[in-house]
């Protein structure tokens, strides 16, 4: 198991020596992207859902401090 | 299992049947969620005392959607090497929040000036299955956490599965055994650091009192008792013992809910006395005063705040 992991890390190309390493890389990549997407997009998502709910508030109400 | 944020409450609690007639064991009420087992005690004994200024402004745009702006200025504690000294660094931050409340979907997001996002989602997937997610995302690497909970509510039991980042899996189960007694257990497995734990809990409640007890393999034994003296007054007491680290804490607290204000206070066996006053100055305007005196460490914290809306 250890030698297999060592080989996977040693080769820098796209081909890893086992499918498990590929799956791990993909899940890591997708989790990183999901984290960035959530970080930037969660509050805009709430605002979009809220501005489209009934009764529809105006953009002015969103931006004014009163 | 330490919750990173206070537990979200589900509004799916059935009423209790009167115990005058014979107990119908096939028709027991649904128990309180496992993480809210000791919620009455938490209200009195773990009030959120703060230090410094706190200003919260909440503006509702319609029934379901609201925005909130919060300003907090005050010292924040930094963990120090020796237990005797506390290091405090003055900070000030502004937090923007957006909330969306729907019967089936609840979204709460809070974004701070330093880029940290605090997100909570609660979605009713079906009548009985609820998905709850909460996360704290920050720009610094490896400082983000997320936790997903799937709650299933049965007729007289609740089961929950928790998945967290950095390989954390937990499950809890609680069952009503009689109309007043519910028993539950939890098991968790954490990848980093590698440890697993199991715990049991019991809760006995009547109209006038609530008693709970919890034992966990992480070493904690906690028992608390809350007595509701009247509609306005309740007293609580709590005892926590960790048999691995040999820490013992006992505390006694009160909770007075009056017409215009709410006072909560407690005193601890660690020499900590604290109180929190929330006063309603007028409709939608609340004034907060918080004090916490730690005589053992000689750390005195006072805070005041205003909540609008």
């Amino acid at each position: 198991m250890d030698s297999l992991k060592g080989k996977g890390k040693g080769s820098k190309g796209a081909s890893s020596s086992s499918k498990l390493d590929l799956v791990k890389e993909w899940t890591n990549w997708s989790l990183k992207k999901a984290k960035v997407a959530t970080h930037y997009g969660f509050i805009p998502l709430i605002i979009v859902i809220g501005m489209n709910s009934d009764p529809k508030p105006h953009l002015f109400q969103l931006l004014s401090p009163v | 299992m330490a919750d990173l944020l206070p537990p979200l409450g589900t509004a799916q609690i059935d009423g209790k049947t009167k115990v005058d007639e014979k107990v119908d064991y096939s028709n027991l009420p649904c128990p309180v969620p496992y993480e809210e087992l000791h919620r009455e005690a938490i209200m009195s004994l773990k009030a959120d005392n703060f230090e410094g200024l706190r200003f919260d402004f909440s503006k509702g745009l319609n029934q379901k959607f609201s925005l909130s702006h919060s300003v907090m200025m005050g010292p924040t504690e930094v963990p120090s090497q020796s237990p005797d000294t506390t290091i405090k660094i003055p900070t000030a931050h502004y937090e923007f929040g957006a909330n969306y409340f729907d019967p089936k979907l609840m979204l709460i997001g809070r974004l701070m000036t330093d880029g940290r996002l605090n997100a909570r989602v609660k979605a009713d997937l079906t009548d009985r299955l609820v998905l709850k997610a909460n996360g704290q995302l920050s720009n610094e690497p490896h400082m983000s956490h997320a936790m997903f909970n799937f709650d299933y509510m049965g007729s007289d039991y609740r089961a929950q599965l928790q998945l967290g980042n950095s390989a954390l899996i937990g499950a809890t189960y609680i069952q009503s055994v009689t109309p007043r007694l519910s028993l539950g257990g939890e098991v968790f497995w954490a990848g980093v650091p590698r440890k697993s734990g199991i715990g049991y809990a019991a809760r006995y409640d009547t109209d006038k009192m609530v008693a709970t007890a919890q034992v966990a393999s992480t070493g904690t034994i906690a028992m608390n008792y809350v007595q509701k003296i009247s509609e306005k007054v309740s007293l609580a007491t709590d005892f926590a013992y960790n048999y691995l680290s040999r820490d013992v804490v006992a505390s006694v607290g009160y909770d007075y809910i009056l017409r215009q204000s709410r006072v909560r206070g407690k005193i601890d066996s660690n020499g900590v006395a604290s109180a929190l006053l929330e006063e309603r100055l007028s409709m939608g305007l609340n004034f907060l005063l918080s004090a916490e005196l730690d005589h053992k460490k000689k750390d005195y914290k006072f805070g005041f705040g205003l909540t609008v809306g």
Side-chain angles (χ1 to χ4, degrees):
Chain A
M1 232 13 232
D2 283 335
S3 59
L4 227 98
K5 275 189 194 164
K7 273 192 207 157
K9 280 186 192 151
S11 62
K12 257 194 140 185
S15 60
S16 307
S17 49
S18 79
K19 284 210 171 131
L20 189 61
D21 282 344
L22 270 175
V23 169
K24 271 191 199 170
E25 259 182 59
W26 279 351
T27 47
N28 273 347
W29 176 90
S30 60
L31 279 176
K32 280 201 173 66
K33 296 296 173 199
K35 183 223 165 212
V36 172
T38 316
H39 203 160
Y40 283 105
F42 191 70
I43 298 249
L45 172 79
I46 301 182
I47 292 181
V48 161
I49 292 183
M51 294 299 275
N52 285 336
S53 64
D54 289 316
K56 259 193 167 180
H58 292 286
L59 189 61
F60 166 72
Q61 279 176 299
L62 183 71
L63 299 172
S64 87
V66 175
Chain B
M1 233 17 308
D3 272 327
L4 300 167
L5 295 172
L8 291 172
T10 52
Q12 299 157 322
I13 298 172
D14 303 342
K16 291 211 186 303
T17 54
K18 286 260 176 224
V19 200
D20 297 328
E21 62 265 12
K22 188 160 150 347
V23 173
D24 181 6
Y25 282 102
S26 60
N27 201 13
L28 292 171
C30 202
V32 162
Y34 190 87
E35 60 267 10
E36 288 181 28
L37 203 72
H38 43 193
R39 61 181 174 192
E40 286 88 357
I42 284 188
M43 286 205 288
S44 312
L45 297 171
K46 308 264 189 287
D48 53 348
N49 291 296
F50 57 95
E51 184 170 15
L53 165 76
R54 203 170 105 173
F55 178 73
D56 292 319
F57 173 59
S58 182
K59 177 170 72 165
L61 272 75
N62 66 19
Q63 282 287 63
K64 302 182 180 180
F65 178 49
S66 60
L67 296 174
S68 81
H69 307 267
S70 302
V71 174
M72 277 169 280
M73 295 188 219
T76 33
E77 257 180 63
V78 166
S80 78
Q81 309 294 18
S82 63
D84 294 332
T85 52
T86 43
I87 302 178
K88 293 190 187 181
I89 297 183
T91 52
H93 42 76
Y94 162 73
E95 187 181 72
F96 172 73
N99 317 315
Y100 179 74
F101 295 103
D102 198 38
K104 293 217 163 209
L105 175 66
M106 179 180 92
L107 299 167
I108 296 182
R110 299 261 178 279
L111 184 64
M112 288 206 192
T113 43
D114 53 8
R116 270 187 294 161
L117 173 71
N118 213 340
R120 274 166 142 190
V121 175
K122 173 174 166 282
D124 288 353
L125 299 175
T126 77
D127 228 357
R128 297 192 165 253
L129 184 63
V130 174
L131 162 68
K132 289 195 246 182
N134 79 48
Q136 283 163 320
L137 306 176
S138 85
N139 281 324
E140 297 162 38
H142 302 298
M143 291 291 283
S144 314
H145 312 280
M147 181 109 85
F148 296 89
N149 300 342
F150 295 92
D151 295 349
Y152 183 77
M153 179 178 82
S155 57
D156 61 355
Y157 65 91
R158 285 187 200 255
Q160 183 188 71
L161 175 68
Q162 277 179 333
L163 300 167
N165 79 332
S166 69
L168 183 69
I169 289 190
T172 74
Y173 178 78
I174 181 164
Q175 164 92 45
S176 274
V177 174
T178 78
R180 294 179 175 173
L181 176 67
S182 36
L183 303 174
E186 71 165 340
V187 62
F188 73 90
W189 185 88
V192 169
R194 268 189 195 275
K195 71 175 179 178
S196 59
I198 190 166
Y200 303 99
R203 175 187 163 105
Y204 182 80
D205 57 19
T206 67
D207 285 335
K208 292 267 167 193
M209 57 79 101
V210 175
T212 72
Q214 280 176 307
V215 183
S217 73
T218 50
T220 47
I221 296 178
M223 293 182 281
N224 51 48
Y225 178 80
V226 178
Q227 174 86 27
K228 191 167 156 186
I229 311 264
S230 78
E231 280 297 322
K232 300 186 176 184
V233 181
S234 51
L235 301 177
T237 166
D238 169 82
F239 176 78
Y241 172 59
N242 190 322
Y243 57 79
L244 294 174
S245 70
R246 304 260 165 200
D247 269 333
V248 185
V249 171
S251 55
V252 178
Y254 64 88
D255 185 0
Y256 280 60
I257 304 181
L258 306 169
R259 234 180 323 127
Q260 305 276 49
S261 60
R262 182 172 185 182
V263 192
R264 285 179 270 184
K266 81 160 207 286
I267 183 156
D268 221 331
S269 68
N270 281 337
V272 177
S274 68
L276 178 72
L277 165 72
E278 293 159 13
E279 171 123 9
R280 207 183 68 166
L281 297 178
S282 75
M283 184 68 208
L285 191 64
N286 285 344
F287 178 62
L288 300 162
L289 268 181
S290 150
E292 189 177 325
L293 312 167
D294 190 339
H295 295 287
K296 204 155 131 186
K297 291 193 209 165
K298 300 221 185 294
D299 180 19
Y300 310 109
K301 300 189 203 172
F302 299 96
F304 66 99
L306 203 60
T307 303
V308 183

